[in-house]
Amino acid sequence: MRNTFVFTIILLCCIGCHRQPEYRIGVSQCLDDAWRQKMNEEMERELLLHPDIRMYKRIAYGSNELQCAQIDSFISERVNLLIVSPNEAEEVKPAVTRAYRAGIPVIVADRRVTGDEWTAFIGGDNYRVGELMAEWVATVQSENSQAGKHGSLHVLEVAGLPGSTPATLRHNGMMDKLTELCGEHVPEVQTVLGEWMKEDAYRMVTEYLAEHKDVDIIVAQNDLMAIGASEAVRANSSYGAGSVRIMGVDGIMPGLQAIIDGVIECTATYQSRGDMVIETAAHILAGEPFVRDTIIETTMIDATAAYALLMQHEARLHDLQTLHIVQLRSDNLWQQMRSGRRRLITIIIFFFLLLVVAIVALLYMLTHLKTEIRRDILPQLEEVEQTLETIQLSQRDIAFGERMKQIVDDHLTDPNLNVEFLSSSLRLSRTQIFRRVKTVAGKGPLEFIRERRLLRADELLRTTDMTVQQVALELCFSSPGYFTKCYKDYFGHLPSERK
Ligand code: FRU
């Protein structure tokens, strides 16, 4: 019973123990645009290889305050690692520093924070992105001069959020490279702030174009702002179709489609590489060596490359769908297993309870039976036993009576017939002779002997010619007078009056 109980408990514990993820990672994203969503997807996919890690994601929607508060709540939740894509470097730095000082490893992704209190950084080569922009501007300028259009170009830069490091680095990279490539013919560059958003870019470019009719090139620091700028150009009647050449940055959807559709001309790749971020996180959590500063390369994408990338993108989408279906199926399977396991636990608990109830009922019945046996059956048994004993006893007594009667009857004429004689013939003590003769004959042994002699005397008097004296002597009475007295006491009349 005890073993069954212990076994069941162990079994329940084993089944009940579902392995919880060992590590919790907090992800703080500054925005929720297509680029961020792609990065999140890449991280989620990579996490399929790390079932011991669970990711919790929060989005700051471009607010430094919200992002700091979200990081602080990750700190108080004691996540095992933090991934931060800061909205603005200086403003988000204090929260990142707090996390780092609280002993939480921090991976800064894409945009940097100021200072160096972080564990690892993974992001694109923003300075090089700026250089690519400059190289494209220089190419356009030389194409123009070859076409007979001399003079510097008028470039409009649509910059991202000024406090975010990619915005500064891309600007610096572009300006430095323009100086290097164009020398004294450095194009005139004006900057408007699009803050990384299509709508802001549209608004800012619209306002700018209303004042300036001579823009040749727009370099937007991301594809979304490039598309917004393109819409602003098209909405301005002073600019003819294709009169302004536009470049963006990122090289993912919807930028690639915009290039193929002729909305913008080209873009520079800026990869999100969420997979790399998770890989680094896994190394840090496992205490393995990792690269502290990872800079991802960039390259230029024109219409041909955009078309190739789009095809790749579609193939990737198909792969993702397949992966999603596989994931759904495995989730389903897992669900089924979980509910199967739950059912098994219920069945085990049910049978366990049934066992307990059965044992309790059995114990109750046993105790009840015991009391009943003690109260009703035992006395009855005792009675039966006594009756049996009595029966056995009376059978023995009858046999004893027969034997005794035989011995007495055989020795009626023997003067030695007395208690001692019976005691030695029947091999019983005097006391036993007295007790047993009393039991079977209802009288003492002497009385019994006398009775048998009187009955024989009566028979002799009736069947023979013997006198009273002769019979009294024959049957060992001490005198005829004593015989006469005994005879009268027994039969109620004198021997001489016998019938
Ligand atoms: C996405 C994004 C990208 C840009 C990057 C800069 O939120 O705006 O378009 O390249 O951030 O940090």
Side-chain angles (χ1 to χ4, degrees), residues 31 33 35-36 110-111 166 170 196 221-222 250 270:
L31 289 172
D33 51 31
W35 192 90
R36 302 281 152 201
D110 156 44
R111 304 179 189 179
R170 288 174 196 181
W196 302 119
Q221 287 188 346
N222 72 6
D250 281 347
Y270 189 67

Side-chain angles (χ1 to χ4, degrees), residues 29-36 85-86 109-111 126 164-167 170 195-197 221-225 249-250 270:
Q29 282 285 20
C30 52
L31 289 172
D32 193 32
D33 51 31
W35 192 90
R36 302 281 152 201
S85 218
D110 156 44
R111 304 179 189 179
N126 285 297
S164 59
T165 51
R170 288 174 196 181
E195 315 234 329
W196 302 119
M197 312 280 190
Q221 287 188 346
N222 72 6
D223 290 341
L224 288 180
M225 295 192 294
V249 178
D250 281 347
Y270 189 67

Side-chain angles (χ1 to χ4, degrees), residues 256-300:
L256 293 179
Q257 190 62 53
I259 296 176
I260 290 162
D261 297 344
V263 174
I264 64 174
E265 194 172 313
C266 54
T267 187
T269 57
Y270 189 67
Q271 298 185 66
S272 39
R273 298 305 303 266
D275 55 329
M276 268 189 166
V277 176
I278 292 299
E279 212 187 321
T280 307
H283 284 315
I284 294 173
L285 288 170
E288 293 163 2
F290 60 95
V291 182
R292 185 163 194 256
D293 223 318
T294 306
I295 309 295
I296 304 157
E297 282 180 25
T298 175
T299 186
M300 195 67 172

Side-chain angles (χ1 to χ4, degrees), residues 404 436-444 448 451:
M404 186 186 65
R436 296 203 63 182
V437 174
K438 185 90 185 150
T439 310
V440 296
K443 50 196 74 162
F448 180 74
E451 183 186 77

